[in-house]
């Protein structure tokens, strides 16, 4: 069942995300590095849960963003965080996060979450949607390509 996030879900979603990223460090992309959740490719920061909660609070506090949870038997097994950005030539959609518990993959949960996010963005008149993914997250890349996304750039970082 898909439902909208509420602040009472805050800690449960953090624990879900933590289990997901600890088991699949290929999820780490430049977003996690920029937020301090990760210190390098495949390397989580010691206080990454605290930093992710700050990120979650900022994102959930933005009225342009939506967080959807997929639950089975009252437990989060997938989620997506998406929204609209207005810093371009025209508003565009962004899929900030999409994750499904490894034991629940292959059940079309990610597909349902992505479809609902994209349908919501389209209903708001959005014509382009972007997302970024960790460089080694090949299964996610395949999933996004299967859903019509194409690569338009690569992210580089210089660490001093």
């Amino acid at each position: 069942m898909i439902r909208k996030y509420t602040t009472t879900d805050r800690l449960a979603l953090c624990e879900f995300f933590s289990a997901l990223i600890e088991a699949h460090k290929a999820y780490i992309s430049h977003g996690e590095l920029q937020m301090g959740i990760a210190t390098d490719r495949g390397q989580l920061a010691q206080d990454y849960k605290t930093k992710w909660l700050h990120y979650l609070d900022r994102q959930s506090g933005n009225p342009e963003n939506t967080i959807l949870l997929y639950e089975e038997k009252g437990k989060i097994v997938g989620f997506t965080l998406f929204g609209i950005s207005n810093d371009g030539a025209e508003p565009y959609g962004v899929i900030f996060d999409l994750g499904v518990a490894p034991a629940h993959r292959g059940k079309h949960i990610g597909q349902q979450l992505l479809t609902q996010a994209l349908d919501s963005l389209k209903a708001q008149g959005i014509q382009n949607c972007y997302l970024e993914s960790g460089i080694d997250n090949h299964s996610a890349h395949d999933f996004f390509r299967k859903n019509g996304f194409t690569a338009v750039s690569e992210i580089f970082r210089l660490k001093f």
Side-chain angles (χ1 to χ4, degrees), residues 6-158:
T6 67
T7 54
T8 60
D9 299 309
R10 183 176 183 264
L11 294 179
L13 183 53
C14 182
E15 288 306 312
F16 173 79
F17 176 80
S18 297
L20 184 70
I21 201 164
E22 286 174 9
H24 189 64
K25 291 195 178 72
Y27 188 96
I28 294 170
S29 67
H30 81 280
E32 286 75 27
L33 293 168
Q34 290 170 326
M35 290 178 284
I37 292 167
T39 57
D40 211 337
R41 206 166 140 186
Q43 192 84 32
L44 292 169
Q46 206 167 27
D47 62 345
Y48 80 91
K49 287 183 184 183
T50 299
K51 290 182 177 176
W52 196 79
L53 283 170
H54 290 304
Y55 163 75
L56 177 62
D57 293 342
R58 281 191 313 275
Q59 293 289 55
S60 65
N62 182 339
E64 297 282 4
N65 294 343
T66 302
I67 303 171
L68 299 176
L69 307 177
Y70 194 103
E71 289 184 325
E72 284 188 358
K73 299 178 183 173
K75 184 177 178 186
I76 299 170
V77 298
F79 85 107
T80 189
L81 165 54
F82 64 96
I84 297 173
S85 181
N86 291 293
D87 65 356
E90 59 185 39
Y92 59 90
V94 180
I95 306 294
F96 296 106
D97 284 294
L98 176 67
V100 176
H104 291 81
R105 292 184 184 154
K107 298 179 181 179
H108 307 287
I109 293 169
Q111 186 65 60
Q112 290 176 59
L113 288 165
L114 181 62
T115 297
Q116 194 159 333
L118 296 176
D119 287 348
S120 175
L121 293 168
K122 287 180 207 172
Q124 295 177 74
I126 299 301
Q127 296 180 18
N128 288 289
C129 184
Y130 298 88
L131 57 81
E132 50 98 9
S133 178
I135 196 164
D136 297 319
N137 200 354
H138 304 296
S139 60
H141 303 167
D142 292 342
F143 172 75
F144 296 132
R145 282 187 195 97
K146 185 180 107 179
N147 281 279
F149 285 85
T150 58
V152 295
S153 67
E154 290 190 48
I155 304 294
F156 294 85
R157 174 178 78 153
L158 175 62

